[in-house]
Structures are given as C-alpha cells and as structure tokens.
Amino acid sequence: MRKGRIDYRMQRRSALRAVAAGTRSREDVCDAHPDLLRAGTHIGTPLDDACPVCDATELRHVHYVFDGRTPKSQGGRAVPREALARQQERYGDLDVYTVEVCIACHWHHLVESFLLLARDPDSATSG
C-alpha cells in the first residue's frame, strides 16, 4: 500500500524556469552523480517525455528504497520499478524516492517520495 505521497513537480518547474531565465546555470542542474547515471542507464524506467533541459529522449526514472533498518546517511538501494514489491516483501515498510535523470545531459530532479507499507495500518484491529 502506498501512503504519504509527496510530489515535487512545483520545485521541478521552478528549477526549470530559473534555468530558462538565466538565474540558474544549466551546469547547476545537470550534475547527476555517476551512480545515478549508471542506475538510470541499467535499471531506470524509460520515459516517453523528452528531457526538459536538452530535449533528448534519454529521460529515466530511478527508484531508491530505504528500509528503515539502515541509516539514510548510508544511502538507499536503486531498484527497478518492477522490483518494489519484492523489496517490500523482503524488508517490510519502505521509503521510496523516485528521481528523474537524463542520461544525455545529466539533468536530475526528485519527482516524488512515498511510503510503501507492508500492510495498511488503518486496517489493523485492536485486540
């Protein structure tokens, strides 16, 4: 069950407006980490949309999961979208972050975050 979705489209639009207006450089927003680029290349979900910065068709979504046992400072695991259910079965509740990345120009932005719960806490009955 997905819960607590946070959408970051407004921040994305703001960053893109700033680049278009020249108040933010393209290099400032096109600086994806090599690990994110590798994840995007090998396990990212291809998107039909063109990159909002360079117009290339190399845009991907990469999903990172954090299981609550490992400190977030140690990083999450990049997993293919189709593996989210298996990760949930294995680790229980997960924090999921979806990042948009362009393999061509290295644009990247957090798209959404949400909790992927192993079971619905609202359906739990008291004993």
Side-chain angles (χ1 to χ4, degrees), residues 110-123:
L110 179 62
V111 174
E112 69 175 349
S113 65
F114 58 91
L115 298 173
L116 192 57
L117 301 176
R119 62 187 188 100
D120 185 357
D122 297 331
S123 69

Side-chain angles (χ1 to χ4, degrees), residues 29-40 64 99 101-103 106-108:
V29 297
C30 294
D31 63 347
H33 191 277
D35 289 338
L36 175 58
L37 294 169
R38 274 191 291 278
Y64 287 93
V99 179
V101 62
C102 176
I103 306 306
H106 303 184
W107 152 261
H108 62 100

Side-chain angles (χ1 to χ4, degrees), residues 38-83:
R38 274 191 291 278
T41 299
H42 297 290
I43 64 169
T45 304
L47 303 176
D48 292 333
D49 301 329
C51 174
V53 175
C54 73
D55 217 27
T57 57
E58 298 293 323
L59 207 55
R60 310 278 202 287
H61 276 175
V62 177
H63 305 279
Y64 287 93
V65 296
F66 296 84
D67 61 27
R69 294 183 234 166
T70 308
K72 285 189 179 180
S73 62
Q74 292 182 3
R77 291 179 301 281
V79 299
R81 181 172 184 77
E82 57 274 4

Side-chain angles (χ1 to χ4, degrees), residues 69-99:
R69 294 183 234 166
T70 308
K72 285 189 179 180
S73 62
Q74 292 182 3
R77 291 179 301 281
V79 299
R81 181 172 184 77
E82 57 274 4
L84 288 175
R86 283 193 312 273
Q87 293 287 311
Q88 180 189 34
E89 288 172 10
R90 184 173 183 183
Y91 298 103
D93 295 348
L94 299 172
D95 289 317
V96 180
Y97 295 84
T98 304
V99 179

